[in-house]
Amino acid sequence: SGLMRGDLVFNGIRVWNPRVFLTRDSAGTDTFRQWLRGDEPPAEGGGGGVSLRLDGVRILAGSFALRLPAEERHVGGRLRVEQGEDERRWRAIDLDDLDAQLARVEISPDIGIEVEIGLASGTVDALERAFAIEGLRGGVRVLDGRVAVEVRSIQAPGIDASGTVDVDMGAEGGVETAISARVPDADLRPWNWLAEFLPPLTGSLSVDGGFGPEGQRWSMTDVDGRWSGGRVRGRGTVAVGDAVRFDDVDVVLDDLPVSALADYLPEPPAADGLLTGRVALSGEAGALQLGGDLTLAVDSGGPVSTVFEGGLSTGGGGVGFDRFRATLDPIDYAVLGRFFPAVGLTGTGQA
């Protein structure tokens, strides 16, 4: 260890098959900070701590592993949790098959770790499914229990994005992660396993949010995409904790097939058509406050247009309404009857 006790600069480094393993216990002690700050007694004549700079680093077939104490609520969720030899549960965050070109790496007690990433790829294994990343460019800084990542560009399954990631490992109650991303080219279909409420949308969006001891919260803005042949634009916030809650969701639909909403309705629609209009909603899933205006068009028959507002509940195996008001003008009863056979009427009018 004496070699690492001074100010060292290396250039043109190639590293094959490196393995880095870091842990952080429930008391807040991590292996990296113990080593970096020179907690071990310094060599005779040397100071404590490390000051090291590497320029032009190439990493081949590397791996990085981080283990954080897991709480009971993490077990059975989307996060990857493993049990150690001491029976303790750990959140497992791994980066495998790492191939990276690092323009600069600096390590010291004052700045922690700073890394300038020229280009990197690998496999992230931190959730219930692993996924590959490519074309990563940006920078990383690790200091005092915080990890700040600037992502200038990254490609993951169905996603081409840029943004920032900030991980606070010393947050009260546990680890907090904040993410801000701009996604000009997105396909959410490969990610529906991560959150069942994600629609199979392709297009562009911006996302700000994160997850921590209290759950997850995600705000989406500038959403503009295609869904089953229709167009969807809008914004909104989804919070996932003990329950799923929607806040300030405002969506504009253009020719969206009714069949695309089958997974979000209490029962599959009895017929199909195209929806155009606007829907605003808020509240917990199963007890939503709705408002908006929609027009339903079908291949044959007149349109059905409605303006509506009120509460909609789907608990207990049925559908309930709370102070719900709707005006239908115009209405083709034969078209309405395709979706609600009990109507049993024909003709046009208002309701």
Side-chain angles (χ1 to χ4, degrees), residues 1 36 56 65 97 139 155:
S1 61
L36 179 64
D97 303 320
Q155 288 85 47

Side-chain angles (χ1 to χ4, degrees), residues 78 127-129 190-198 216 218:
R78 302 298 188 191
L127 304 170
E128 65 179 33
R129 297 186 188 180
W191 298 93
N192 60 359
W193 59 270
L194 184 59
E196 290 83 354
F197 57 80
L198 281 178
Q216 307 176 47
W218 303 98

Side-chain angles (χ1 to χ4, degrees), residues 17-341:
N17 201 32
R19 298 287 183 264
V20 178
F21 184 88
L22 302 179
T23 63
R24 181 180 179 84
D25 63 24
S26 56
T29 303
D30 62 64
T31 52
F32 165 71
R33 289 170 71 180
Q34 286 179 325
W35 170 75
L36 179 64
R37 294 182 175 179
D39 291 352
E40 296 179 358
E44 184 177 352
V50 173
S51 180
L52 173 67
R53 174 167 174 151
L54 308 176
D55 292 327
V57 180
R58 178 68 191 274
I59 296 176
L60 299 166
S63 69
F64 172 88
L66 176 63
R67 296 297 180 266
L68 303 171
E71 300 174 21
E72 188 62 34
R73 62 186 177 83
H74 294 141
V75 180
R78 302 298 188 191
L79 299 176
R80 181 172 159 232
V81 176
E82 63 181 27
Q83 187 166 306
E85 296 179 358
D86 57 359
E87 304 274 326
R88 297 176 63 184
R89 291 191 176 101
W90 299 88
R91 283 180 53 190
I93 303 171
D94 293 344
L95 177 59
D96 298 318
D97 303 320
L98 177 62
D99 188 333
Q101 300 173 26
L102 309 181
R104 175 179 57 88
V105 178
E106 287 193 59
I107 304 174
S108 79
D110 295 329
I111 68 171
I113 296 180
E114 287 190 357
V115 180
E116 183 68 21
I117 304 172
L119 184 65
S121 63
T123 300
V124 177
D125 192 2
L127 304 170
E128 65 179 33
R129 297 186 188 180
F131 59 91
I133 59 171
E134 297 179 347
L136 172 60
R137 293 176 170 85
V140 180
R141 183 173 188 184
V142 183
L143 180 65
D144 291 335
R146 300 186 72 98
V147 180
V149 183
E150 177 193 5
V151 180
R152 300 188 190 101
S153 67
I154 188 173
Q155 288 85 47
I159 292 177
D160 188 342
S162 62
T164 60
V165 179
D166 187 88
V167 182
D168 184 357
M169 294 185 289
E172 184 177 352
V175 178
E176 290 188 351
T177 301
I179 298 174
S180 179
R182 304 297 171 257
V183 191
D185 186 8
D187 183 350
L188 300 185
R189 290 173 294 184
W191 298 93
N192 60 359
W193 59 270
L194 184 59
E196 290 83 354
F197 57 80
L198 281 178
L201 193 74
T202 59
S204 60
L205 70 155
S206 297
V207 180
D208 294 279
F211 45 88
E214 302 301 320
Q216 307 176 47
R217 186 174 180 86
W218 303 98
S219 294
M220 289 174 279
T221 57
D222 303 322
V223 178
D224 190 346
R226 309 295 297 183
W227 180 1
S228 298
R231 185 182 183 189
V232 179
R233 293 167 289 155
R235 58 177 173 80
T237 299
V238 180
V240 182
D242 295 333
V244 177
R245 179 177 178 83
F246 300 89
D247 292 312
D248 300 322
V249 177
D250 196 320
V251 179
V252 176
L253 309 177
D254 291 305
D255 293 335
L256 179 70
V258 174
S259 58
L261 302 174
D263 292 339
Y264 300 88
L265 299 174
E267 297 181 4
D272 204 1
L274 298 178
L275 289 171
T276 298
R278 173 182 167 270
V279 177
L281 62 88
S282 61
E284 290 189 2
L288 295 172
Q289 291 294 315
L290 303 175
D293 58 88
L294 290 173
T295 295
L296 171 66
V298 296
D299 292 337
S300 60
V304 176
S305 296
T306 180
V307 178
F308 57 92
E309 64 175 343
L312 174 68
S313 61
T314 56
V319 178
F321 298 94
D322 180 21
R323 300 178 184 177
F324 193 89
R325 296 181 298 174
T327 301
L328 290 88
D329 182 15
I331 179 172
D332 185 323
Y333 287 100
V335 171
L336 194 63
R338 298 181 194 177
F339 293 88
F340 304 99

